[in-house]
Amino acid sequence: MLMSRLKVATAPHHQAVEALMPVMQADLTRQGYAQVLRGLHSVVQPLESALLALPLPLAFELPRRVKAPQLARDLAALGLTAAPGAPLTLPGVPEGLGALYVLEGATLGGQIIGRHLRARGITPDSGGAYFSGYGPQTGPMWQAFGAAMNSEVAPEDEARVLAGARQTFDAFGAALRAVAA
């Protein structure tokens, strides 16, 4: 199954980005959290714009999966504006699906972060909307995404999907390193 192969092949990239994510640190301030959100927005917004320009199969339900508006709302709740990220072009649908794999995986993983933030008083209404994902529908949305990946991606496109996923992990890593600098 493609999803299993993607998980294994991108594990080092995923772990590298996860190690850079400071939102679970006890000493993270609200201002530091807002800067992390700004960095995430600088990647998510252009990626989603590029994805919306691609003819993705309907099975992926892309309009339901867009999260840049949640990040913009979170930033506004924390007193910052969302600056658009650098424009991005995805070479094709396979690379786009690799990018979407990373975005959707972040949504799933964000559930752990969301619980941590809520315990610190950051709710979906006060700057934690992005990490609330689809709420109780996050698990079913991930399962639907996985089913679409496993059924819609042709075997000859798998290398390009993987390349798109790795490129997206690297973009998140660069944004998080910039926030830390």
Side-chain angles (χ1 to χ4, degrees), residues 16-36:
V17 170
E18 198 171 84
L20 294 168
M21 180 59 80
V23 294
M24 301 293 280
Q25 295 173 354
D27 62 346
L28 184 69
T29 64
R30 284 181 82 78
Q31 184 62 25
Y33 172 65
Q35 292 303 321
V36 169

Side-chain angles (χ1 to χ4, degrees), residues 136-161:
Q137 290 302 306
T138 301
M141 289 287 286
W142 174 252
Q143 291 170 351
F145 174 76
M149 286 290 278
N150 288 329
S151 68
E152 297 285 334
V153 175
E156 62 269 17
D157 289 335
E158 285 188 23
R160 291 176 61 195
V161 171

Side-chain angles (χ1 to χ4, degrees), residues 34 37-38 41 70-83:
L37 291 179
R38 185 176 261 173
H41 186 271
Q70 289 172 300
L71 279 165
R73 262 194 331 270
D74 287 345
L75 286 166
L78 296 166
L80 294 177
T81 57

